[in-house]
Amino acid sequence: ETGVTQTPRHLVMGMTNKKSLKCEQHLGHNAMYWYKQSAKKPLELMFVYNFKEQTENNSVPSRFSPECPNSSHLFLHLHTLQPEDSALYLCASSQDITHDYGYTFGSGTRLTVV
Amino acid sequence: AQKITQTQPGMFVQEKEAVTLDCTYDTSDPSYGLFWYKQPSSGEMIFLIYQGSYDQQNATEGRYSLNFQKARKSANLVISASQLGDSAMYFCAMRERETSGSRLTFGEGTQLTVNP
């Protein structure tokens, strides 16, 4: 248990479905991140939230919609995805965006779009 | 240009031996942090070790040590006394505090296999 919990662990969805990924941390961190890990590619940052405010959107398509209701929870809402969106989606948290140490990842949600 | 380069797609080591995983980086930012993560087949990214660009000494965490050569821009991970449970994917990552904010930039990873 890393302190960052992601649900579900696995998700299969059709291209017309709407689903949400959830991330929760109880480390007292104030920054939370979504990363995408596709096969044979390095991890790519998608979104950053610091004290509930979005500070970065790395040119992510609008079919991915993040939500951060508080510093402990982060969601990624998915709709009308494409097969190329199939990947491992990792959530991470850190003390805040200025601190390096304690950058902790969850176990990820393995998403398959059919 | 790639910011993090891991030139070893796969490495093999015998149990109880030491292994070095290579990582070179490219940045003009004077302030940066370097990270190593382990990713087993379960998918979780497990933090191993951290080195700040201004740290004078090489970082160590148990069986992990980071061979930081700033002038050569390399940050190799050394795992001593390898164990079967060390078999996993290993990623080097960097955070450039001034130019990239909070994001970590990752290399492509090295798949380590520990043989009994």
Side-chain angles (χ1 to χ4, degrees):
Chain A
E1 181 59 54
T2 67
V4 178
T5 302
Q6 289 188 243
T7 54
R9 290 295 306 273
H10 300 273
L11 178 64
V12 180
M13 61 185 287
M15 289 189 283
T16 58
N17 291 158
K18 289 186 180 181
K19 296 285 185 185
S20 296
L21 310 186
K22 180 182 177 182
C23 176
E24 185 173 356
Q25 58 90 9
H26 296 288
L27 300 170
H29 289 170
N30 295 299
M32 296 188 78
Y33 313 81
W34 279 116
Y35 281 83
K36 175 183 179 182
Q37 186 178 25
S38 303
K40 303 189 188 305
K41 291 176 68 176
L43 273 78
E44 302 170 74
L45 179 70
M46 300 175 73
F47 301 104
V48 181
Y49 279 82
N50 194 43
F51 292 94
K52 302 189 299 179
E53 298 296 321
Q54 186 179 130
T55 58
E56 287 194 51
N57 176 339
N58 193 23
S59 302
V60 180
S62 59
R63 57 187 184 268
F64 294 91
S65 174
E67 178 190 1
C68 188
N70 54 62
S71 291
S72 298
H73 293 86
L74 183 66
F75 295 89
L76 188 62
H77 303 301
L78 315 171
H79 64 97
T80 59
L81 294 191
Q82 304 298 313
E84 60 264 29
D85 296 323
S86 298
L88 180 67
Y89 288 85
L90 288 157
C91 173
S93 70
S94 66
Q95 185 61 45
D96 55 54
I97 61 172
T98 63
H99 285 82
D100 285 347
Y101 208 79
Y103 210 111
T104 304
F105 283 83
S107 298
T109 294
R110 194 164 295 279
L111 173 68
T112 303
V113 181
V114 297
Chain B
Q2 279 199 321
K3 288 190 174 278
I4 297 286
T5 303
Q6 294 181 254
T7 57
Q8 308 153 313
M11 285 285 284
F12 294 86
V13 65
Q14 285 299 119
E15 194 178 5
K16 300 181 185 176
E17 292 186 351
V19 63
T20 298
L21 306 184
D22 295 341
C23 173
T24 57
Y25 59 92
D26 181 26
T27 182
S28 56
D29 197 322
S31 178
Y32 54 90
L34 296 158
F35 302 73
W36 276 94
Y37 287 89
K38 171 185 178 182
Q39 188 178 42
S41 56
S42 60
E44 178 184 348
M45 294 287 281
I46 303 168
F47 169 76
L48 297 178
I49 198 165
Y50 168 83
Q51 181 86 42
S53 57
Y54 294 120
D55 293 343
Q56 295 295 312
Q57 300 208 331
N58 286 348
T60 60
E61 291 281 353
R63 294 186 300 110
Y64 305 107
S65 61
L66 201 152
N67 184 2
F68 182 45
Q69 298 189 39
K70 194 171 183 177
R72 296 180 61 184
K73 294 188 175 178
S74 74
N76 298 338
L77 176 70
V78 181
I79 305 174
S80 63
S82 297
Q83 302 172 355
L84 296 178
D86 294 335
S87 294
M89 197 76 171
Y90 288 79
F91 291 95
C92 179
M94 174 174 64
R95 176 175 170 242
E96 302 165 279
R97 299 200 185 95
E98 292 184 16
T99 56
S100 67
S102 55
R103 73 178 58 199
L104 293 187
T105 302
F106 284 80
E108 296 187 347
T110 296
Q111 179 69 48
L112 176 67
T113 302
V114 180
N115 294 316

